[in-house]
Amino acid sequence: MKKWLIIVLCFVVGISVFVLVSHNAISEQNYCEYVQELYFDTTSNVLEGKQTVSFFNYTDSILSEVCLHLYPNAFRQGARASVVSLANFDKAYPNGKSYGDILIESVECGETYLNYDICGEDENILKVNFGQEVYPDDTFVFEVGFSVSLANVNHRLGYGENTINLCNYYPILCVYENGEFVQDLYHSNGDPFYSKIANYTVEITYDKNLTLASTGAQQTTLDGDKKTTTIKAKKVRDFAMVLSSKFQQNYENYKGIDINYYYYNDKQADRTMSAICQVLDMNTKFGAYPYKTLSVVQANFVHGGMEYPNLVLISDECPDFDTHINVVVHELCHQWWYGVVGNNQYKYGFLDEGLTDYNTAMFYDTYPNYNLSSETIFNNATKSYVHFEKVYNDVVPNFSTSMLRSLNEFDTESEYAYLCYTKSMLMFASLKDMLGERRLNKCIKFYYEQNKFAEATPDDLVNCFSRASGQDLSSFFKAWFDGEVIMGEFK
């Protein structure tokens, strides 16, 4: 979540032995698969769905049950986990508080109804009992019937004045690691998500006056007053859609990639499309964009922007075009850091945010016509971080400067933003000063190659960068992850 991107941009422009841990991604035919049949009713703002899940047991354990996140329940009345902070409440709910939820109607395997529970700390988990043991490398197929009621909220999931945002709307498998399913709660800070690469086939029917932006490649048919769109998306970490009757659309096939820019309030849409292509070009130095489609979507969204595979949300409330472009660049860099190279965003949010912010800063060196440089960004970010730390320490003496914290361990949004965005970005800027840009790029490329379509950890980052640079960087990273660092100027 990019809630602090605009604020950080304002600060920026205004003032040993190491072992390589290789992540070999699961072969494509063995990814988990989701097949969805959906119907969206614009009158009630309800999404009816039937989802077939082919769960491939990628673990080393014999499993008799599986857990899935129910993120829509964070929007329900009485939920413990708030989807927005108090500071963002009015912006998220311009028409007053509104609620939504997800109702699980059935869970079946063939003609057999399966036992299931709605559990977790906040009715945020669907636990499905297989009724049998599923061994490693075996697959168990089950079907979930569900209904999602949307809140009137400018958020990832909800409807607003201009768009209907269908993100994190479906039951998605929890990641299994260390002998258990990861079941973290929704949180107003950051991106409280963690998922593995999967294959998707989605069919959605909706009113013909709406235009659909989505992850994956689309085929649409018209039947009377309804459209039905079939979407296929392979090897993606998540799946998202946005509907609107107001979309204008710019299209370009750029180096074999079908790029769609959906907007309704951008007088410089051609310049936005140019920036999209430039980001794709810049990031090929780390690894090719591995998909055939990419959608950039203007939306009513409480924060600056939000990343999903093949699709990014850009808030329609960016205060100016420069900020709008900065959000576009940042969110598109997430296609590499979060999308292809995944991580537990709840536990290690700084991993994808720091590298994404660093790449965003370097974009301005690659394309100097935007009249901003990474040196300016890094130096002003340093000043703002030092000032934040000094002021914050007066309020919370000896507060932790560790980045190795989960979302629920940050006391405020500003604390999360400065540590997971600003400090993490400056860590890579410092490494650039130490290694030089060419060697750092080599490290980033190696990190991408070793972790693409998998989930990286801080240890993976340290090991990959140490191996690629030819020197032990563990002490350097430890100082930034969980220790004291001295902020200096960047050249």
Side-chain angles (χ1 to χ4, degrees):
M1 179 171 51
K2 308 300 155 301
K3 64 181 73 176
W4 281 91
L5 189 59
I6 295 173
I7 296 174
V8 171
L9 178 64
C10 292
F11 274 116
V12 165
V13 298
I15 355 192
S16 300
V17 177
F18 33 86
V19 179
L20 174 63
V21 180
S22 177
H23 283 272
N24 295 317
I26 302 168
S27 60
E28 184 172 340
Q29 64 269 27
N30 288 330
Y31 288 123
C32 296
E33 295 192 2
Y34 300 84
V35 178
Q36 300 176 2
E37 296 178 29
L38 308 171
Y39 176 81
F40 184 73
D41 185 344
T42 52
T43 302
S44 61
N45 288 301
V46 170
L47 181 71
E48 297 286 350
K50 181 171 66 175
Q51 174 173 270
T52 300
V53 180
S54 298
F55 171 70
F56 171 72
N57 189 354
Y58 56 84
T59 78
D60 295 328
S61 301
I62 300 172
L63 301 176
S64 59
E65 62 185 21
V66 72
C67 291
L68 300 92
H69 293 285
L70 298 177
Y71 292 123
N73 268 351
F75 293 81
R76 79 187 196 286
Q77 188 168 14
R80 285 180 50 197
S82 175
V83 297
V84 293
S85 66
L86 185 60
N88 287 307
F89 182 90
D90 291 340
K91 186 177 178 182
Y93 296 99
N95 300 315
K97 184 67 173 179
S98 177
Y99 300 100
D101 60 15
I102 183 169
L103 174 66
I104 302 301
E105 298 169 340
S106 63
V107 181
E108 304 173 54
C109 176
E111 297 182 355
T112 302
Y113 287 93
L114 300 181
N115 291 325
Y116 68 91
D117 291 315
I118 307 300
C119 53
E121 295 181 60
D122 197 21
E123 299 181 25
N124 59 308
I125 298 296
L126 168 63
K127 182 182 291 186
V128 176
N129 191 305
F130 294 151
Q132 64 184 70
E133 293 182 331
V134 177
Y135 285 77
D137 297 332
D138 284 347
T139 298
F140 186 84
V141 181
F142 61 98
E143 182 182 283
V144 181
F146 65 94
S147 175
V148 178
S149 297
L150 300 186
N152 181 197
V153 59
N154 296 330
H155 215 316
R156 300 178 179 101
L157 180 64
Y159 68 94
E161 181 180 354
N162 300 305
T163 61
I164 301 160
N165 300 339
L166 298 173
C167 308
N168 310 109
Y169 64 87
Y170 59 96
I172 185 171
L173 290 163
C174 300
V175 175
Y176 187 89
E177 62 184 19
N178 301 321
E180 62 183 7
F181 289 99
V182 179
Q183 302 180 33
D184 294 315
L185 283 173
Y186 205 104
H187 203 280
S188 60
N189 276 347
D191 307 327
F193 310 120
Y194 185 28
S195 56
K196 297 183 75 68
I197 294 289
N199 295 326
Y200 288 81
T201 300
V202 176
E203 182 182 278
I204 179 170
T205 300
Y206 52 98
D207 286 359
K208 69 175 184 179
N209 67 316
L210 298 173
T211 298
L212 176 72
S214 73
T215 298
Q218 301 182 6
Q219 287 189 333
T220 299
T221 59
L222 182 64
D223 184 8
D225 61 352
K226 300 294 181 184
K227 289 179 181 176
T228 296
T229 298
T230 301
I231 310 157
K232 291 186 179 296
K234 288 189 174 183
K235 296 176 71 172
V236 293
R237 196 166 299 282
D238 200 348
F239 185 91
M241 300 181 288
V242 181
L243 288 162
S244 179
S245 62
K246 298 182 179 181
F247 279 148
Q248 299 178 60
Q249 188 174 351
N250 270 17
Y251 167 81
E252 183 170 341
N253 183 279
Y254 186 74
K255 297 184 177 181
I257 302 168
D258 290 324
I259 302 174
N260 286 286
Y261 175 38
Y262 301 88
Y263 65 97
Y264 45 86
N265 182 26
D266 184 356
K267 296 179 180 179
Q268 302 184 66
D270 289 342
R271 288 186 64 194
T272 299
M273 178 63 82
S274 176
I276 295 167
C277 297
Q278 289 171 336
V279 177
L280 289 176
D281 266 346
M282 179 190 73
N283 278 335
T284 56
K285 72 181 72 171
F286 308 126
Y289 180 74
Y291 306 107
K292 295 298 184 182
T293 64
L294 177 63
S295 293
V296 176
V297 187
Q298 194 173 51
N300 31 240
F301 187 55
V302 65
H303 307 302
M306 183 65 205
E307 70 276 4
Y308 290 96
N310 313 161
L311 180 148
V312 297
L313 302 182
I314 309 299
S315 174
D316 57 11
E317 294 193 9
C318 291
D320 52 59
F321 189 72
D322 288 344
T323 303
H324 167 80
I325 289 296
N326 199 72
V327 174
V328 168
V329 175
H330 178 100
E331 301 308 334
L332 290 178
C333 287
H334 267 303
Q335 294 300 303
W336 282 257
W337 319 119
Y338 146 78
V340 181
V341 178
N343 59 279
N344 185 334
Q345 294 178 288
Y346 192 95
K347 192 174 181 181
Y348 305 123
F350 73 91
L351 273 183
D352 61 291
E353 296 299 352
L355 199 47
T356 293
D357 259 1
Y358 172 79
N359 283 177
T360 301
M362 298 307 296
F363 172 85
Y364 296 105
D365 287 352
T366 308
Y367 302 101
N369 56 296
Y370 291 95
N371 299 315
L372 188 59
S373 69
S374 66
E375 181 180 349
T376 299
I377 291 172
F378 296 149
N379 284 328
N380 283 289
T382 300
K383 293 175 185 176
S384 64
Y385 178 84
V386 170
H387 178 71
F388 158 76
E389 191 172 290
K390 181 179 183 300
V391 171
Y392 202 75
N393 200 56
D394 288 341
V395 178
V396 185
N398 300 315
F399 83 98
S400 174
T401 58
S402 171
M403 295 189 290
L404 294 172
R405 285 186 282 166
S406 298
L407 292 181
N408 63 329
E409 295 177 310
F410 291 96
D411 291 330
T412 65
E413 289 182 309
S414 58
E415 184 181 336
Y416 165 78
Y418 272 103
L419 291 170
C420 286
Y421 286 72
T422 309
K423 183 181 178 183
S424 186
M425 176 188 71
L426 293 174
M427 175 178 71
F428 291 105
S430 178
L431 198 56
K432 172 177 172 284
D433 267 8
M434 187 172 80
L435 298 178
E437 184 177 348
R438 185 175 178 179
R439 287 178 70 197
L440 178 57
N441 287 347
K442 179 182 177 182
C443 293
I444 297 173
K445 182 177 181 179
F446 189 68
Y447 175 66
Y448 177 91
E449 288 297 326
Q450 291 297 310
N451 295 281
K452 62 184 179 182
F453 305 120
E455 296 72 51
T457 67
D459 284 344
D460 294 323
L461 182 75
V462 175
N463 292 331
C464 286
F465 277 53
S466 294
R467 178 67 175 269
S469 67
Q471 63 188 86
D472 186 353
L473 296 174
S474 56
S475 295
F476 169 87
F477 280 112
K478 186 177 187 306
W480 281 89
F481 287 169
D482 207 19
E484 298 294 328
V485 294
I486 300 174
M487 300 288 184
E489 290 189 355
F490 293 91
K491 299 178 182 179

